[in-house]
Structures are given as structure tokens and as C-alpha cells.
Amino acid sequence: MKILMCVPNISEGRDLKVVEQVVAEIRGVAGVKIQDVSSDPDHNRSVLTYLGEPEAVLQATQAMAKRAFELIDMSKHHGSHPRMGAVDVVPFIPIRGVETKDAVEIARRFGKFVGELGVPVYYYEDAAMRPERKSLTEIRKGEYEALPGKLKSPEWAPDEGPAVFNPKSGGLVTGARFPLVAFNVNLRTDNLEIARKIAKAVRHINGGYRFVRAIGLALEDQKMVQVSMNLTHYQKTPIPRVFETIRSEAARYGVSVAGTELVGPVPLGALEEVLKHYLQVHDFSMEQIIENALIE
Amino acid sequence: MKILMCVPNISEGRDLKVVEQVVAEIRGVAGVKIQDVSSDPDHNRSVLTYLGEPEAVLQATQAMAKRAFELIDMSKHHGSHPRMGAVDVVPFIPIRGVETKDAVEIARRFGKFVGELGVPVYYYEDAAMRPERKSLTEIRKGEYEALPGKLKSPEWAPDEGPAVFNPKSGGLVTGARFPLVAFNVNLRTDNLEIARKIAKAVRHINGGYRFVRAIGLALEDQKMVQVSMNLTHYQKTPIPRVFETIRSEAARYGVSVAGTELVGPVPLGALEEVLKHYLQVHDFSMEQIIENALIE
């Protein structure tokens, strides 16, 4: 089975009746499983997580967005999280048997659909059509309030839809990205400088691994420090390689690893890398996992 | 979801039309997924593997057995694998959210059903009612041909069904056991004695881990040796502990691990142990694995 995940962030986190009506559109599509719905009243934002066959996920996402555009009015929206539109950001994430290019194609079909509804659309991450639009932060700079001005400049001409401000719906960012793995390593020291040095050693921006973003943090209650990471491509920069580098860097300071955390959802493929590395299993296939027989 | 697996071995491996009619009974039960059907003409035996909710699996197994008793005649059966009956052995295996005691209860309900069809039944492994009946090898000693004689002795009075020989169906062995993990470690030496010594170090019978069966083998083509194991309880004797013991024992002889093999089906729970051990993740839940959302 091919599995694509979609994690739209919509700009409603207070009126749960509205959220439920939007989620009902996803639930109505056969073959799509909703994994999680989290609403944050301070952010006034909800994160929907669902997955299934790519075509079914596209259909669910179109129905979801159409409904959200009807029900959410951005001209009245307030919340602490950065946002630009009623359906703010829609990442499509390959989980199994789906290549990045397939996810990009789905994102582009979704973008066209949204553009035809009269909402300006920007493609980001692996679906970006200009390098300066890869980053969500860059696209969303100035938020909803800056959008009328930005739309007047050719630099911010949308990738789909009209270059005209839509006060009710704002703008939408969609694209494809590999699933993130949130991985934290806790170190038996309270010396924050060590965590920061190790974060620099492993993260891309300072010369480390290509698909690692990392910061050093203090865990004050536990009198420890943490290297907190997002691994943005667990196949090309696998968990065990990063972990062993951290262990070795920490040893330079006489510091050992107290434990690690895998936060939130993890694709089975990321665990396969752990197995292959530490058990030295050269020929393991995820198909050998018994529970896989139940994924149709 | 609760998941129970059942792996009946039936005494027909040549006439695939018969095998298909037996398998069709399993396929007819909603909520049961057939994972594998392997027929061996030399053994004249087929191994069926399926899983699902415990009640659905019981229902499928009853229908399967009834059909096999109709279609298979043990008085005409020849094959190289030890066997005692048309439906020779029926293990129920807890996979997820099912305790051994629940699997034992299902095995006992299945045994009663078979007994009422006039077939003598013996309970083995975790469902055994006498310690000397824990082992399938012990129960099946002398095979189908010895059954008429054994049934006359009180020592071999069946646990269910009549103490009367049923020439068409023979006897049936059913029970519950934890899933086996077949795990082999290949060593960079052609000295078989080293593999044998390490097998003795880790296996239960010689003082090793409680849930390990192991032998040393030569891999002549590869000029290596192998410690070939069945881990019979991956929670109580987890893979990483056994692997690290083998690595350390091998180091005594200056031998390193060339690689390992996980053969056949592996429950996700066994991989969770690998993750927790090597990544030092203290709080990981299988529910975090994205694909789990698809297992209803």
C-alpha cells in the first residue's frame, strides 16, 4: 500500500464546532484515517493529521480546505502563532511507497484547486518553484496582515491563484517534505556549553550532517542538558549515525548519554535504520513485521 | 486493536485444490487477514498463517479445521515431516494487546470444539494441562501410526474428545505460545567450535538465557560460522541482550560479528526492545509509529 500523510494547520483553535465540521470532510473520504486533531486556543490554530492512499488524501484535503474557507474568516482572526490564511499551511509527507516527487505532484494538484477557489497559493519545501520560497518562515514573514502589500510586488506573485488579496481566506502555503523525526539526546552534565558545541557539530548549518537541525538546551529540573534535533531525512541522515556522533563528541568532555527521546510520530522506516545499524542485519525488510499484514 | 495470530499445520502439501478449499474457510471470516500459505510436497504439509481479533481468529480456525477433517484422510497420508493428524498442530500466538492467558483460553475453546467433532486433542506449550505435555515433540512421538496404541494408555488420555482412535483425522495438538523470533549471528571465523561454545553460553539448557534455543552451524560457502537461535520470549529475553552477549563471547576468541539475520515474521514489539536498548529511549510507545494509525 502507498501511504501519504497530510498535516494541515488551520486558523481556528477556539470554536471546536467549526474544527469538527472541517474534520468531518476528511472523515467522509473512504480510505483516509485521521490520526490526530490538536486544537490550541492560544494559537487559535488546529493541526490535523491524517493518512492514506495519495489520491484519497488529496480528495480529503480538497474537501477539508473548501469547508474551512467557508467557515473561517481571517479578517477576524487573532492568535499567537504566525499565520497567513484560513488554511495556513498544508504539507504532504511521504510515509511508505511514495517518493518525494509523488508528494510534490499531489501538492501541486492541491495548489491548483485552491488557486481556482480564488486564494493565492505559495509552494514551499520540496514543491517550491523558487529557491527563496523553500522556507515557510520566509513566505509567511509579516503574516496575514502583510499579505495585501506583498501581493502588489512581483517578488510575491503567487504560484497559483490570483495576485489579489482575499480578506476572508488570506493565503495558503502547500508543499511536500520528508517526515521529520524529533530526536533529543540528554547528557549527564549541567554545562549548557557542551550541548551547544555538540549541536553545532552535528547540524547542517555549521558543517554537520545535511539533514539535521539542532540546538543545545538546559533541562534545569533534571540538572542535565539536551541536544534537541529535527532529523529532516531519516534515510539520508539516519538516527544511529547522528546518535553515535553525539556520543563520541560528548565523550571528549567526559560526558555520557543519560537517555534519548523520540517525540511524536515516527515512521517505521526510521526504526528500520536503527535495527540495521545496531543489530548488523543486512537484509531486513519491513514486510517481515507481523503487524504489516494488517495494513492493506 | 487486539491481535492474535494462528499458524495451523495441516497434513496436505501436494493437492493444492484441497489446501485452497481449507484456506477459503479462513478467507470467509471478516477481520481475519491471511499472511502466508506455504505448502511443502516432500513434507506433504501446509503451514497457514493468519491474524486478527481473537474471536474472529477462533471462528476462522474452527471453520478451517472442520473443512480439513472432511477433506484430508490420514489413513492415506505419507510425508517426511512428523505428523499425528489431519490438522496436526494449531498454535495461537499473542501479537498485540493479547496476554498469554487470553491465547490459552482461545486454544481451549478451539480444543473443546475439535473434541466434540470426535477428534482426540492434546494441549501443549502454555495451554498444557500436564507438564509432560508442554513439548510438541513429546506429544507427537511415534506420530499418527502410534496413536491407536497410545490412546489405550491412561498416560495418553486426550485432554478433549474421545480416547478412541479416529483413523481419518488422527489427533490434534493445540495451545498457545509466545511468538518466536528466529535470529542468527554470523561470525568472521570458520572455526565451528567457537559457534558451538557461544551457542552453549547463551542457551537455556546449558545455563544461558531462559528463552533462548541455540545451535552452532558452519556456513561453508561463506567460510563463516553461525549461532542460530530461536528467541521464545522477546520481552523477557530481548534481542539486544542476547546479541551483546554473543559479541562479547566472540571477542574472547578475537572473533567479530560479520552480520545477523532476522528470519521470517517479527513482531513490532521485538523491534521496540532494540530501539529502547541502543538508542537509550526510555519512553517510547509503539503508538508513535505512524503506520500504526492504519491498524484498526
Side-chain angles (χ1 to χ4, degrees), chain A residues 20-296:
Chain A
E20 173 47 33
Q21 285 177 75
V22 173
V23 170
E25 296 290 333
I26 302 163
R27 203 176 285 122
V29 178
V32 174
K33 302 264 153 103
I34 298 170
Q35 190 175 31
D36 190 57
V37 175
S38 307
S39 300
D40 185 314
D42 289 332
H43 292 178
N44 197 7
R45 184 180 183 87
S46 296
V47 179
L48 323 176
T49 306
Y50 48 92
L51 63 169
E53 290 271 1
E55 289 297 327
V57 167
L58 173 60
Q59 196 191 323
T61 309
Q62 289 174 338
M64 177 281 301
K66 198 152 174 277
R67 196 83 172 126
F69 291 141
E70 285 165 27
L71 298 174
I72 299 171
D73 185 351
M74 282 307 287
S75 68
K76 295 172 185 142
H77 185 272
H78 297 281
S80 61
H81 193 287
R83 81 285 179 266
M84 195 168 83
V87 180
D88 194 51
V89 54
V90 182
F92 291 93
I93 302 162
I95 297 296
R96 179 186 289 211
V98 178
E99 300 293 319
T100 294
K101 70 171 171 36
D102 307 323
V104 167
E105 192 221 308
I106 295 281
R108 296 265 171 83
R109 284 167 62 195
F110 175 66
K112 274 197 179 59
F113 172 87
V114 170
E116 284 162 10
L117 296 177
V119 176
V121 172
Y122 298 95
Y123 292 124
Y124 84 132
E125 290 286 349
D126 293 329
M129 299 178 99
R130 307 184 189 183
E132 66 274 21
R133 293 189 185 175
K134 256 187 104 64
S135 149
L136 175 62
T137 315
E138 285 302 307
I139 298 173
R140 208 163 47 188
K141 205 165 265 179
E143 303 188 39
Y144 171 81
E145 287 70 15
L147 197 56
K150 282 164 84 175
L151 280 166
K152 287 177 192 149
S153 115
E155 190 198 338
W156 287 107
D159 295 315
E160 306 284 355
V164 174
F165 181 59
N166 179 328
K168 188 175 182 198
S169 302
L172 182 145
V173 184
T174 186
R177 61 167 173 80
F178 212 71
L180 288 184
V181 173
F183 180 55
N184 302 328
V185 178
N186 298 342
L187 302 175
R188 283 231 180 275
T189 175
D190 58 1
N191 185 339
L192 179 57
E193 205 40 51
I194 292 175
R196 287 188 173 147
K197 277 185 181 158
I198 295 176
K200 280 188 186 169
V202 294
R203 73 187 176 198
H204 184 230
I205 197 170
N206 293 97
Y209 290 111
R210 176 159 178 190
F211 296 101
V212 175
R213 296 199 295 249
I215 52 170
L217 296 174
L219 303 178
E220 287 176 8
D221 288 356
Q222 298 168 66
K223 296 194 170 69
M224 290 200 288
V225 297
Q226 180 178 80
V227 182
S228 176
M229 290 171 285
N230 275 328
L231 307 188
T232 58
H233 201 304
Y234 63 76
Q235 283 172 339
K236 294 185 178 168
T237 304
I239 300 173
R241 195 169 301 151
V242 178
F243 182 48
E244 291 305 325
T245 304
I246 291 176
R247 198 204 299 278
S248 148
E249 290 292 317
R252 288 170 53 182
Y253 308 102
V255 169
S256 62
V257 172
T260 75
E261 300 165 4
L262 278 164
V263 186
V266 182
L268 202 46
L271 307 189
E272 197 189 345
E273 298 291 334
V274 176
L275 201 77
K276 287 182 165 173
H277 181 96
Y278 288 108
L279 290 187
Q280 300 176 236
V281 199
H282 306 305
D283 298 310
F284 183 76
S285 152
M286 292 195 301
E287 301 308 311
Q288 288 177 249
I289 298 169
I290 292 173
E291 285 86 341
N292 260 334
L294 296 160
I295 301 173
E296 286 193 312

Side-chain angles (χ1 to χ4, degrees), chain B residues 69-289:
Chain B
F69 291 140
E70 284 164 28
L71 298 173
I72 299 171
D73 185 351
M74 283 305 288
S75 67
K76 295 172 186 144
H77 185 272
H78 298 280
S80 61
H81 193 288
R83 80 286 177 267
M84 195 167 82
V87 180
D88 194 51
V89 54
V90 182
F92 292 94
I93 303 163
I95 298 294
R96 179 186 289 210
V98 178
E99 299 293 319
T100 295
K101 69 170 173 38
D102 307 323
V104 167
E105 193 221 306
I106 295 282
R108 295 263 171 83
R109 284 166 62 194
F110 174 67
K112 275 199 178 60
F113 171 88
V114 170
E116 283 162 12
L117 297 176
V119 177
V121 172
Y122 298 95
Y123 292 124
Y124 85 132
E125 290 286 349
D126 293 329
M129 299 179 98
R130 307 184 190 185
E132 66 273 22
R133 292 189 185 176
K134 255 188 105 65
S135 150
L136 175 63
T137 316
E138 285 302 308
I139 297 173
R140 207 162 50 187
K141 205 166 265 179
E143 304 187 37
Y144 171 81
E145 287 71 15
L147 196 56
K150 282 164 84 175
L151 281 167
K152 286 177 192 147
S153 115
E155 190 199 337
W156 287 106
D159 295 315
E160 304 285 355
V164 175
F165 182 58
N166 178 329
K168 189 175 179 197
S169 303
L172 182 145
V173 184
T174 187
R177 61 166 173 79
F178 212 70
L180 288 184
V181 173
F183 181 54
N184 301 327
V185 178
N186 299 340
L187 302 175
R188 284 232 179 276
T189 176
D190 58 2
N191 185 339
L192 180 57
E193 204 43 50
I194 292 175
R196 287 188 172 145
K197 276 185 181 155
I198 295 176
K200 279 188 187 168
V202 293
R203 73 189 177 198
H204 184 231
I205 197 169
N206 294 96
Y209 291 112
R210 175 159 177 191
F211 296 101
V212 175
R213 298 199 294 250
I215 52 170
L217 296 174
L219 303 178
E220 288 177 7
D221 289 355
Q222 299 169 64
K223 296 196 169 68
M224 290 200 286
V225 297
Q226 180 177 82
V227 181
S228 176
M229 290 171 284
N230 275 327
L231 307 187
T232 58
H233 202 305
Y234 63 76
Q235 284 173 339
K236 293 184 179 170
T237 304
I239 300 174
R241 195 169 302 152
V242 178
F243 182 49
E244 291 305 323
T245 304
I246 290 176
R247 198 204 299 279
S248 147
E249 291 291 317
R252 288 170 51 182
Y253 308 103
V255 169
S256 63
V257 171
T260 74
E261 299 165 4
L262 279 165
V263 186
V266 181
L268 202 47
L271 307 189
E272 197 189 346
E273 298 291 333
V274 176
L275 201 76
K276 286 182 167 173
H277 182 94
Y278 288 109
L279 290 188
Q280 301 176 234
V281 199
H282 306 305
D283 297 311
F284 184 75
S285 151
M286 292 196 301
E287 301 307 312
Q288 288 177 247
I289 297 170

